[in-house]
Amino acid sequence: MVSFSALGAIAKKEFVGIFRERTILLAIVIQVFVAAFSSFLVVGLSALVDPSAIPDYTEPVVATNGTSRAAEVLAAEGLDVRYYDSDENARAAFTQGAADALMLVRGPLDENGTFDVELVLPESDMLATLTLTQVKNALEVYEKELREERDGRLVQEPLYVEGDIAAGQFSFVYALLIPLLVFLPVIISGGLSADSLTEEVQRGTLPLLLVTPANATQVVEGKILANTAITPLLVVAWFGLLALNGFSIPWSGLFFITVLATALAWIGGILAAAIALAVRDRDRAQVLFALAFFLVLGLAMLLPVSPVNAVTLLAADSVHRGVHLVVLGSLVASLVGWGLLRSALRRAGRWMAAGES
Amino acid sequence: MRSAARLRRVATIAKGELGRTRKQLDRKTLLGLLLFGVLGALLSPFVLGAGFDFDHDIYRAAVTADSPLRPALEADPVFRVFIVDDPAPFVDADEADLGVDRMNAFAKPTDKGKASLVALDDAVKAHTHLIMRSEPDQTAAFPVRITLSYEEQAPGAFGGGTSGALPEPIDPRAGETADEEESRLEGEGGDGTDTPSGDASAPPPSGDIDGGFSYMPQGDEPNTPGTLQPPFPFRSLLLAYAFLLPMNFIVQVYAGAILRERLGRQGEALLASPVTPMEILIGKTLPYLVLMLGISAAIALWIGAGWVSLVAVVPLVLVFLALEFIAAMFARSFRELTFLTVFASVLLTMYAFLPAAFTEVHPVALVSPISLIVLDLRGSEISLIEMLYATVPLTLVAMVLFLLGVALFREEDLFHQKPVLSKAVDAVARQVHGLGSGFWLAALFIPFVLVAELFLVAFLFAWPVQTGVLGTLVAIAFVEELFKGAPSYAAAQRGRVPMKRMLLFGALVGVGFFVAEKAFLFASLTGLFQVPAGAAVFGSAGAGALDAGIPWLVVGVLLLFPLLLHVVTACISAWGARRGRADFVVAFTSAVLLHAAYNLAILKVLGGGGLL
């Protein structure tokens, strides 16, 4: 029991330090920044798939060379089609900015040939994306009509989903943003453990800690423990922010994600501590830890269900047994890592005492 | 002679810094880097092969065994497919997100349900494309073929035509005779050289870019409507990352090097030598600056950018280093420094990226140098004034940050644990040398104010209009008063200005702020913001008047109001600062409220009242 109280004292000292330095405040400020940033992205993305959400939005203007069926379909799909009497005039209208897209239609030489459409868009990110999304939808309708007319020449039947389909940003939020937000605290935790240990070495204060009742193992474990504890706090804070923005996740998902993230942060902390004690320099430890972390994460991507995928599925409420196995596996891995660290520290305990360099 | 000696001292420090970094790369570290590098290289094909499908299995689909849509669902990894007899109860019980009964697809009207229908649509389209590819008659399978290309439009032409040579559109109903579309097109098809070849497998490789990274996707290959890929709308984000990502690693080492001087009083020897703080700063920064510029040049070369891009990167590099320098001067431990580093890079990435996303929509985008890179990659012409506009304010910010940081280069600030606020006060107070400093300090803070206001606008972007406008008004007043109050408070706290003359100092701060702000506004009005919306963003009474061509006398009177406001509020803060900390807080708060009330009144007068 004595060992636990010493461990607790180290962890507490570390944790109090984090709060006194107000580093945790900084972490929260970073969170709010990233959240604002991503809400900006979400608004931007949803505007792109559903431009009518933009105030004062007008349908893209398409300049075309005379009447054609493609142009009629575009007009019927709601695009603002302007007809010009020649290719040159249509192109001139586009280059001078009177249209957002240029569509030159060249019909088939015979009834069985293809309709060739030359599409020219402005060299501008937003405008091109907006316009092309609209034109693409209309041209798909056109393609469908033509395929139906040439039905007799097809062996298989083309399939379509009927009905109104409204796109959203579900996949962006749940399959990209949320994993990102969960893994950010994990890597920060590890980096902090490395910082905290190399700092004791470089300031020459490690021997001081070792003359206290705490032994080397407890010092290292206490530091990892305190820095790991940040992860669940930040993860829960993230989901609070997301909930405020209208993206909810189930309670069970929150629980398992927090467990998974904490276990991964603990593994990351062990990795960081091992590297920090091996190289004993803050900058080198940071670089090596970042590389090692991404290497481990890359390896984990090879699993049938990767931790990143598990976070997505837990958040989106699409859990299957593989997801729970990943959570369980990460817990087991964190215990194994802990055991390895302990035995390594016990063996190397003596040279740490001589840690002033 | 003296400057030669100074150069020599700077060179010595720079050399020492280089040597230290080289020593850091000892055998153990190199071995570790090598090991991780080799492992990463060996691993990457597998990881890339497995793909980063984070959304694997995200939608649960209950589908009947006989549904023609089943192969489409099973081929798409985003679906976890269950074969059932009747999907409806599964969807009702929330055990499936998507139900497919033969050709009939349904989902709950939740975000996830709707998203699963979109995913189904995508999957079926992809599946149909695959089926059609195997058809013997390809002209029936793919009756429409599209060549896609991107061309630049006339500058500033967005939203309406300008020149007289614009051709008039024709009325499609006028030429009713051409009702037989096929024949009409046949007649017109002969004018181009690009007659349809009918060979889908051989895309014409015309005008290919010489490898590397091209800004816009090349649209040379014939597309079908299904394969048309709208360009990623935030490519400027990727560009910003391409430059900022490697910088992150270098500045971390830089900040570590600065902080190391402070830990364990290692920098005491340098401080005791005849070297001035500025020389230490330049010497320590120079190697990293050169390294970062070198890497940026390599990146610019790689993505096919020109010298303009390199010029645009310089202020970013400077600001990054300056932020890290300040962070290292304030951080009390490596741990805190890590946080500050992350914060600085998030801040800078946002600043570089957010405006750049609007490069083609609005000239305000030019506050970010990344916009210059976007324009450069696109081959657009860039005027000198645009270049200055994108680079000068940020460079000024970097310079001021360095100046503030160097002021902390003394024993008591470097090596002692001092409260952050007290350090900040030190940094500002040491810039004050007499009354005139008030004017210059306030003027130098203008770029900071603009940057802060830009962030505020982006921040409140997604808020409801009413709270957004009111919040912006108060927040902007807060930011402006903060930068006006800071010099007075710092000067009073450290006794840099006689107490009797504090009010005069405050008035000079107000004047300096006003002159610099209006000078910036005037420069942008004459040079850049011909677009009315541009004036609206940074607009005030004076700006609106200039636009409307009102006589100079009236403009003068109109300019008097903001001048009066800035002087009065600055004096209120200065008065508070003279009386001590508690009174300063009260005075500062009233200055903010007064300023916000003024902004609100102006907005009402100018006709924005409808918003509130």
Side-chain angles (χ1 to χ4, degrees):
Chain A
M1 281 302 104
V2 178
S3 84
F4 267 105
S5 74
L7 178 74
I10 298 278
K12 197 175 152 202
K13 166 192 168 280
E14 188 76 13
F15 213 65
V16 166
I18 293 169
F19 273 92
R20 205 178 29 224
E21 278 180 347
R22 296 191 188 84
T23 24
I24 198 80
L25 280 181
L26 262 174
I28 288 166
V29 172
I30 296 173
Q31 274 198 335
V32 173
F33 257 93
V34 176
F37 188 50
S38 37
S39 76
F40 177 86
L41 273 181
V42 168
V43 170
L45 283 175
S46 49
L48 285 172
V49 286
D50 181 19
S52 56
I54 306 173
D56 301 330
Y57 177 74
T58 48
E59 292 295 334
V61 177
V62 180
T64 183
N65 53 346
T67 51
S68 62
R69 229 177 101 189
E72 277 165 28
V73 175
L74 255 61
E77 289 293 307
L79 286 134
D80 187 351
V81 181
R82 308 262 165 89
Y83 303 85
Y84 293 87
D85 50 12
S86 68
D87 285 14
E88 290 71 35
N89 279 348
R91 188 176 287 276
F94 169 75
T95 26
Q96 291 178 35
D100 304 314
L102 168 67
M103 183 176 75
L104 301 177
V105 184
R106 302 211 173 79
L109 292 174
D110 59 273
E111 199 170 321
N112 299 332
T114 53
F115 288 82
D116 277 29
V117 174
E118 186 186 344
L119 206 58
V120 184
L121 289 166
E123 264 207 355
S124 111
D125 276 3
M126 295 281 212
L127 209 56
T129 313
L130 270 175
T131 311
L132 187 54
T133 311
Q134 309 279 92
V135 173
K136 176 186 159 104
N137 288 341
L139 285 176
E140 276 176 344
V141 173
Y142 180 45
E143 184 184 52
K144 188 181 166 194
E145 282 179 11
L146 287 173
R147 273 182 187 157
E148 275 162 12
E149 281 168 22
R150 299 176 176 187
D151 201 16
R153 290 154 53 190
L154 292 175
V155 183
Q156 285 160 291
E157 195 189 348
L159 294 169
Y160 300 97
V161 179
E162 304 291 336
D164 232 10
I165 286 154
Q169 62 276 354
F170 185 85
S171 159
F172 170 76
V173 170
Y174 284 84
L176 201 68
L177 195 58
I178 287 181
L180 196 78
L181 299 187
V182 169
F183 278 87
L184 194 69
V186 172
I187 191 166
I188 287 182
S189 284
L192 288 182
S193 295
D195 273 349
S196 164
L197 278 165
T198 46
E199 190 167 8
E200 300 279 1
V201 173
Q202 284 185 317
R203 276 190 196 246
T205 44
L206 197 55
L208 272 181
L209 266 182
L210 292 179
V211 297
T212 62
N215 61 31
T217 313
Q218 287 161 342
V219 169
V220 175
E221 279 174 358
K223 281 182 179 293
I224 301 175
L225 190 67
N227 290 309
T228 301
I230 293 176
T231 297
L233 289 179
L234 290 188
V235 167
V236 170
W238 273 128
F239 284 112
L241 273 175
L242 279 169
L244 282 179
N245 280 309
F247 296 104
S248 60
I249 69 163
W251 288 107
S252 63
L254 178 65
F255 174 75
F256 283 117
I257 288 176
T258 313
V259 170
L260 177 63
T262 311
L264 292 178
W266 176 250
I267 296 171
I270 291 171
L271 195 64
I275 291 172
L277 291 174
V279 298
R280 298 183 170 209
D281 174 273
R282 185 244 179 188
D283 300 341
R284 280 178 278 170
Q286 284 290 348
V287 172
L288 287 177
F289 168 68
L291 279 174
F293 184 85
F294 284 113
L295 204 67
V296 172
L297 201 64
L299 271 174
M301 294 301 290
L302 296 175
L303 293 171
V305 180
S306 69
V308 183
N309 188 215
V311 169
T312 298
L313 297 183
L314 282 164
D317 198 15
S318 292
V319 187
H320 53 82
R321 201 168 36 169
V323 176
H324 289 133
L325 279 177
V326 168
V327 177
L328 193 70
S330 68
L331 279 175
V332 171
S334 68
L335 287 177
V336 170
W338 192 8
L340 285 176
L341 180 79
R342 281 217 147 172
S343 70
L345 279 176
R346 217 170 290 131
R347 247 178 291 144
R350 249 153 277 116
W351 63 256
M352 265 188 73
E356 39 191 333
S357 52
Chain B
M1 269 334 273
R2 261 177 64 195
S3 64
R6 186 168 291 177
L7 268 180
R8 223 171 18 246
R9 288 200 293 262
V10 168
T12 309
I13 296 175
K15 229 185 282 170
E17 188 61 35
L18 275 179
R20 199 190 59 78
T21 320
R22 202 176 313 135
K23 225 185 315 172
Q24 265 195 339
L25 284 174
D26 61 356
R27 215 180 305 153
K28 208 187 282 175
T29 316
L30 278 177
L31 209 69
L33 284 174
L34 201 71
L35 184 75
F36 287 141
V38 169
L39 275 177
L42 286 177
L43 198 65
S44 57
F46 298 102
V47 175
L48 290 177
F52 289 94
D53 46 351
F54 299 168
D55 52 3
H56 202 274
D57 285 345
I58 190 171
Y59 306 115
R60 296 160 303 175
V63 58
T64 52
D66 58 346
S67 171
L69 299 182
R70 194 180 134 195
L73 285 168
E74 281 170 345
D76 193 331
V78 303
F79 290 107
R80 189 173 174 76
V81 182
F82 306 93
I83 310 294
V84 294
D85 290 333
D86 179 17
F90 288 90
V91 174
D92 285 337
D94 261 337
E95 275 166 37
D97 308 302
L98 178 73
V100 180
D101 195 350
R102 286 200 54 77
M103 283 300 284
N104 177 28
F106 48 89
K108 279 201 176 164
T110 56
D111 281 345
K112 194 182 178 189
K114 285 184 216 158
S116 71
L117 280 174
V118 176
L120 172 71
D121 189 43
D122 289 342
V124 170
K125 275 180 187 163
H127 180 68
T128 296
H129 189 80
L130 220 64
I131 300 179
M132 290 294 113
R133 283 271 292 280
S134 65
E135 283 289 323
D137 186 349
Q138 283 291 300
T139 52
F142 296 108
V144 183
R145 291 230 316 252
I146 300 155
T147 340
L148 181 65
S149 60
Y150 295 89
E151 271 174 35
E152 192 169 9
Q153 290 180 299
F158 178 56
T162 40
S163 82
L166 195 68
E168 281 296 316
I170 53 167
D171 185 357
R173 261 159 287 285
E176 208 70 301
T177 45
D179 57 343
E180 195 59 42
E181 184 218 357
E182 238 88 335
S183 63
R184 187 202 65 79
L185 281 166
E186 217 166 353
E188 197 127 301
D191 68 343
T193 45
D194 36 7
T195 37
S197 64
D199 184 5
S201 59
S206 62
D208 217 349
I209 293 286
D210 45 30
F213 179 101
S214 86
Y215 182 65
M216 271 293 175
Q218 289 303 299
D220 288 341
E221 294 166 36
N223 276 294
T224 70
T227 60
L228 279 182
Q229 200 57 259
F232 179 60
F234 296 107
R235 209 159 308 115
S236 41
L237 173 70
L238 292 185
L239 288 173
Y241 274 132
F243 282 103
L244 289 178
L245 205 67
M247 288 187 197
N248 271 304
F249 291 102
I250 301 169
V251 293
Q252 205 169 9
V253 179
Y254 170 70
I258 300 282
L259 184 59
R260 193 167 292 109
E261 296 290 341
R262 294 180 47 218
L263 292 178
R265 305 180 78 100
Q266 286 174 30
E268 204 150 33
L270 264 185
L271 218 54
S273 68
V275 193
T276 64
M278 203 39 114
E279 286 164 12
I280 300 178
L281 167 70
I282 297 175
K284 282 213 153 274
T285 312
L286 210 56
Y288 297 96
L289 181 68
V290 172
L291 184 65
M292 285 166 87
L293 288 180
I295 291 178
S296 301
I299 293 171
L301 207 66
W302 176 56
I303 65 177
W307 62 272
V308 173
S309 300
L310 209 53
V311 171
V313 169
V314 174
L316 280 178
V317 170
L318 283 174
V319 166
F320 218 153
L321 286 171
L323 280 174
E324 292 304 321
F325 178 63
I326 283 282
M329 293 311 279
F330 276 93
R332 282 154 301 181
S333 66
F334 280 135
R335 204 172 41 196
E336 196 172 43
L337 188 60
T338 300
F339 268 112
L340 285 168
T341 309
V342 173
F343 184 54
S345 57
V346 169
L347 202 74
L348 202 60
T349 311
M350 276 179 70
Y351 179 83
F353 159 64
L354 275 188
F358 299 104
T359 303
E360 60 280 333
V361 186
H362 205 280
V364 169
L366 279 172
V367 296
S368 158
I370 294 290
S371 297
L372 283 185
I373 302 177
V374 172
L375 289 173
D376 182 34
L377 282 168
R378 203 175 285 160
S380 309
E381 240 172 81
I382 297 163
S383 69
L384 185 66
I385 188 142
E386 284 175 322
M387 201 119 128
L388 291 177
Y389 188 80
T391 52
V392 170
L394 216 53
T395 311
L396 275 178
V397 166
M399 292 305 144
V400 174
L401 283 175
F402 276 128
L403 217 61
L404 289 173
V406 161
L408 294 175
F409 245 99
R410 11 172 241 164
E411 211 260 342
E412 59 195 273
D413 285 310
L414 276 184
F415 308 125
H416 295 265
Q417 296 280 9
K418 240 181 165 181
V420 174
L421 190 65
S422 159
K423 258 193 189 178
V425 168
D426 275 353
V428 178
R430 304 204 97 219
Q431 313 298 330
V432 179
H433 312 278
L435 283 178
S437 308
F439 181 89
W440 290 114
L441 262 181
L444 279 177
F445 279 154
I446 285 294
F448 287 87
V449 173
L450 293 176
V451 170
E453 287 178 353
L454 196 81
F455 272 119
L456 280 176
V457 172
F459 229 48
L460 299 168
F461 180 79
W463 287 50
V465 173
Q466 210 138 54
T467 4
V469 170
L470 203 64
T472 314
L473 285 184
V474 175
I476 284 178
F478 178 84
V479 168
E480 293 193 358
E481 290 309 320
L482 187 70
F483 280 100
K484 272 155 56 189
S488 299
Y489 181 72
Q493 285 285 307
R494 296 288 179 271
R496 306 287 291 193
V497 170
M499 282 302 160
K500 273 182 270 178
R501 312 186 71 173
M502 268 314 294
L503 277 184
L504 188 56
F505 184 79
L508 279 171
V509 168
V511 175
F513 193 92
F514 168 80
V515 169
E517 188 191 31
K518 291 299 171 254
F520 176 84
L521 195 66
F522 189 74
S524 21
L525 273 180
T526 48
L528 274 167
F529 297 126
Q530 267 85 27
V531 191
V537 171
F538 288 100
S540 73
L546 275 181
D547 256 8
I550 296 173
W552 280 101
L553 185 69
V554 184
V555 174
V557 173
L558 279 175
L559 279 175
L560 214 58
F561 285 109
L563 174 63
L564 216 60
L565 168 84
H566 284 308
V567 171
V568 167
T569 51
C571 283
I572 294 175
S573 291
W575 174 82
R578 194 173 75 171
R579 301 180 44 116
R581 197 165 172 171
D583 281 319
F584 176 73
V585 174
V586 175
F588 171 72
T589 312
S590 16
V592 171
L593 289 178
L594 181 65
H595 194 146
Y598 169 87
N599 280 354
L600 192 65
I602 288 291
L603 199 69
K604 284 233 152 131
V605 170
L606 285 184
L611 282 173
L612 290 158

